[in-house]
Amino acid sequence: MSRKSQYVQVGRRKFELSNLDKVLYPADGIIKAELVEYYLKMAPTILRHVKGRALSLVRYPDGIEGESFFQKNKPDWAPNWLESVKLGEEDKKDYPIATEEASLVWLANLACIELHQMHARAPNFDKPDYLVIDLDPPDDFKFPNVAEIAFNLKNHLEAFGYHPFVKTTGRKGLHVVMPVEPKWTFEQVFEAAKAVAQPFVERHSGTTTLHIQKEHRKGRVLIDIYRNRTSQSIVAAYSVRGLPGATVSTPITWDELATIEHSRELNIHTVPERVLRNGDPWETMDAFAVSLHTERKAAPVRKKLKPARARKTPDQLESYAKKREFSKTPEPKAELEVGQGSAFVVHRHHASRLHYDLRLEKNGVLMSFAVPKGLPPRPGVKRLAVQTEDHPLEYVNFQGEIPKGEYGGGQMWIFAQGRYQVTKEKKDGFYFRLNGRELTAEYRIHRMKENQWLLERVDAPQIDWLHDTIEPMLSDSRTEPPQSEEYTYEVKWDGIRALISVDDGQLRILSRNGLDITAQFPELRIPEQAFRVAGALFDGEIVCLDESGRPVFKQVIHRMQQKSEGAIERARSKYPAVCYLFDLLYLDGRPVVQEPLERRREWLQDVVRKDTSYRVSSTVVEGRELFEAARRMGLEGIMAKRRDSPYLPGRRSEYWLKIKTRNTIDCFIIGYTIGKGEREAGFGALHLAQREGKRWRYLGKVGTGFDDKTMKKMAAQLASLKTVDRPIEEKPLDDAHTAWVEPALVCEVQYASFTSDGMLREPVFVKLRPDI
């Protein structure tokens, strides 16, 4: 972003940004343009938490070393599209509300560094949707000690039936947040907070206190429950703080809390990459909302509904009942019971045609829509939704196979489930937010005619799974298959790792290093022929097979390296490619990376059509037998994957294990020794290393495994590389006869073992890996 003042277009809004080169953090050299860029980049995630909430602003017109002030009123000169709300007759303030990316950018341009949010959101401004406890430590209290108190508090709160989430405040402390149903007043929420906090403080009186006055704390951490009062607020999730280092109030997992030494680690520079890589730990928080423990009552006796204007009755499920023979189908009968009025479910339904069913609880039944192409993935994409017969409430928890010949016969899965909230009523439709553990998003639905509606997503996801570059999941290595029923096993295909995205008929193929190789494989550009999806992201391996069905790595690399149309077509004719798919990351409107592997593979099998260039990689339960078969056939090895494992983009994990029939390792080439004798025209040996954080770990040299053709080709590539200073701390004996080069080439090396000082023993060059 330019540092000068300029007009910008953010979504539908055009406005001026001024003084972008103003320094806001003198010690860190952070200027206003960087603050604006942060809030724009993080807008989808921030809006997920603050949209519909009254905000208070902390502004720093002259940077963090100048004067700052707390502002609760929307500025008089604010554009009319910046929404606001007045909370009650006594409170005369007109609080701003951020509803779109432009809202956050406009506020950041005011040098509004900090966003503080109220605890309730539209349309229930008088009903908090979470209970918060602020752990406020004294100045000399170390962060790991605050974390220890937070872990104890977590266990305490869970005993009361709450689901605690945690975030750093960006200062010294932590916020522990428990989502609750927006049914109770601020006073009731505060009383619940006090009731749950008092016994905790009594048990930990040596380190915690409820005394808000600092002189009475005596070096203890304040368990601040007073934030739950009507006029109080907390710093918003992912808000920057006006402190040196530009720290960010960051949601974290409880596992991560044990590893953080100080909140300075989470700042304006590190948080965006962190969210893009790992996601938002609070994304589905609202799905864990519960009743206040002080308001819970014994479960009511279930009873049938009586006919009433406000509720549906069995007569209104007549259409549903007429279409079903309940002696043949496992679907629930229309035995209505009192519901909470806010349940939703999205079914993935493979009947005569694959489609999705969106069902929203209303007036005692499920208002149902068939959505042929699935939920829209982002704003601007509209999906047809055909209203069908109402379904009984029991359908919220139904999944299974409806017998063939019955109405809707076929497999039905629960695709997403939870509670929803209507956020805005319109003349011919409404806006609604789905709060589920699988999916949290806001949509609007508009009636076009009769039973036909249009469904559109309102909020933008932080990660665009179909267009962003997603890093594939990595595996650990083992020498033997694990002896456990928790794993399934499949062949490790020796080809090009690829992520294949499909978006409304458009297909893209990216290699492991993010290179677009779609053009090189025309036989794979067949989205309609190969898949039953509107939008999906697949993980797989592109291979060329010999006559016996074994992959030939040189052939698929040759395919990848062709550029012109003629060369691509000739290579395709000579070396046809297939793609073995083994995982699914995104499907028709939502990421599925948190689903267990078995469910992801079940959906993968269902969406891939037969008899095309795409094949689902087969799995077996006999790991040792598959490994021995792979060894006999000369295959690279096998993969072992835990059945219940999530997909972790870009991360290495024991969930996936690579068991090779020979020891191999991928290394960067960081230099080469000058050739002598027969190799005078080439090189003697390659210096190898692996990257470990910001340094290189030296692995020694490899000088065998090259034939004449490979030697000449390698020498030409090495000669084209830029020479650099020695990148490793070690000084090899032949340093004086070595040319050190930029680490641009990756090769695969076979080896016997590692020496005691970490060098490769008996290394043999196998091949270059241009796909990594």
Side-chain angles (χ1 to χ4, degrees), residues 608-621:
V608 178
R609 300 182 189 275
K610 298 185 184 303
D611 303 322
T612 75
S613 297
Y614 288 94
R615 306 170 182 178
V616 177
S617 183
S618 299
T619 62
V620 298
V621 296

Side-chain angles (χ1 to χ4, degrees), residues 387-618:
Q387 188 170 5
T388 61
E389 72 275 12
D390 292 336
H391 282 56
L393 292 181
E394 292 86 348
Y395 229 90
V396 165
N397 297 310
F398 171 72
Q399 63 180 347
E401 186 168 1
I402 301 172
K404 290 183 179 180
E406 295 302 304
Y407 178 75
Q411 188 69 39
M412 183 178 286
W413 296 271
I414 292 177
F415 191 64
Q417 186 183 50
R419 295 181 178 178
Y420 83 102
Q421 182 181 36
V422 174
T423 55
K424 187 188 297 184
E425 295 277 5
K426 302 291 285 186
K427 181 180 179 181
D428 294 313
F430 54 94
Y431 289 66
F432 62 98
R433 182 186 300 111
L434 300 182
N435 295 320
R437 300 188 184 190
E438 304 88 359
L439 176 67
T440 295
E442 187 173 4
Y443 302 87
R444 61 184 169 204
I445 190 165
H446 173 80
R447 187 195 296 269
M448 295 186 297
K449 59 179 182 179
E450 299 176 349
N451 66 338
Q452 295 187 16
W453 301 63
L454 274 184
L455 180 67
E456 182 178 5
R457 182 161 179 169
V458 175
D459 63 322
Q462 182 70 54
I463 300 174
D464 188 337
W465 291 85
L466 302 181
H467 295 97
D468 290 345
T469 300
I470 308 298
E471 297 181 47
M473 183 171 171
L474 305 176
S475 59
D476 273 355
S477 297
R478 292 290 185 274
T479 58
E480 297 286 338
Q483 298 300 303
S484 172
E485 295 182 356
E486 296 177 342
Y487 288 87
T488 61
Y489 304 88
E490 59 191 282
V491 169
K492 185 182 188 305
W493 297 101
D494 191 10
I496 298 172
R497 183 82 176 272
L499 291 180
I500 300 96
S501 65
V502 177
D503 185 19
D504 280 337
Q506 299 297 311
L507 183 144
R508 183 184 68 162
I509 306 173
L510 295 184
S511 69
R512 176 176 164 180
N513 58 6
L515 180 67
D516 191 326
I517 55 174
T518 313
Q520 278 73 21
F521 297 95
E523 65 266 55
L524 300 180
R525 300 200 303 266
I526 51 171
E528 289 89 355
Q529 293 172 251
F531 307 114
R532 301 184 187 91
V533 293
L537 180 62
F538 303 96
D539 192 355
E541 193 94 359
I542 302 174
V543 298
C544 294
L545 304 174
D546 64 14
E547 293 180 354
S548 62
R550 289 179 297 189
V552 183
F553 184 76
K554 289 182 179 180
Q555 293 179 5
V556 75
I557 289 298
H558 177 75
R559 288 290 310 270
M560 189 183 80
Q561 293 173 334
Q562 305 311 303
K563 302 300 179 184
S564 69
E565 287 187 21
I568 289 171
E569 192 53 43
R570 287 191 296 273
R572 173 190 181 182
S573 177
K574 189 174 183 180
Y575 304 128
V578 296
C579 182
Y580 283 95
L581 299 174
F582 47 76
D583 219 321
L584 181 63
L585 287 71
Y586 184 93
L587 178 61
D588 288 337
R590 79 168 181 90
V592 295
V593 290
Q594 293 302 319
E595 294 285 347
L597 174 63
E598 284 191 318
R599 173 54 61 89
R600 298 198 306 273
R601 283 194 58 89
E602 191 176 356
W603 286 340
L604 178 64
Q605 291 277 4
D606 190 58
V607 303
V608 178
R609 300 182 189 275
K610 298 185 184 303
D611 303 322
T612 75
S613 297
Y614 288 94
R615 306 170 182 178
V616 177
S617 183
S618 299

Side-chain angles (χ1 to χ4, degrees), residues 80 96 293 539 543 619 645 719 771:
N80 56 14
H293 75 282
D539 192 355
V543 298
T619 62
S645 61
D771 57 317

Side-chain angles (χ1 to χ4, degrees), residues 251-322:
I252 55 179
T253 67
W254 287 100
D255 287 341
E256 289 171 321
L257 179 58
T259 67
I260 296 174
E261 292 296 323
H262 198 282
S263 61
R264 286 191 297 266
E265 301 172 25
L266 304 168
N267 56 59
I268 197 173
H269 301 300
T270 62
V271 166
E273 176 61 27
R274 167 194 175 85
V275 172
L276 285 174
R277 187 177 181 86
N278 301 327
D280 171 21
W282 282 19
E283 180 173 359
T284 61
M285 181 172 71
D286 291 344
F288 293 83
V290 298
S291 303
L292 293 178
H293 75 282
T294 51
E295 302 295 329
R296 292 174 199 154
K297 301 175 182 178
V301 177
R302 293 185 171 185
K303 55 185 179 180
K304 301 283 184 69
L305 293 180
K306 296 179 180 179
R309 295 181 63 185
R311 288 177 175 163
K312 297 278 183 176
T313 66
D315 290 343
Q316 293 165 295
L317 287 171
E318 184 178 355
S319 177
Y320 169 85
K322 282 183 176 180

Side-chain angles (χ1 to χ4, degrees), residues 672-673 687 726 728 730-740:
Y672 61 93
T673 59
H687 286 282
R726 188 177 71 244
I728 54 175
E730 298 89 344
K731 186 177 180 179
L733 293 175
D734 51 10
D735 179 58
H737 305 287
T738 292
W740 301 102

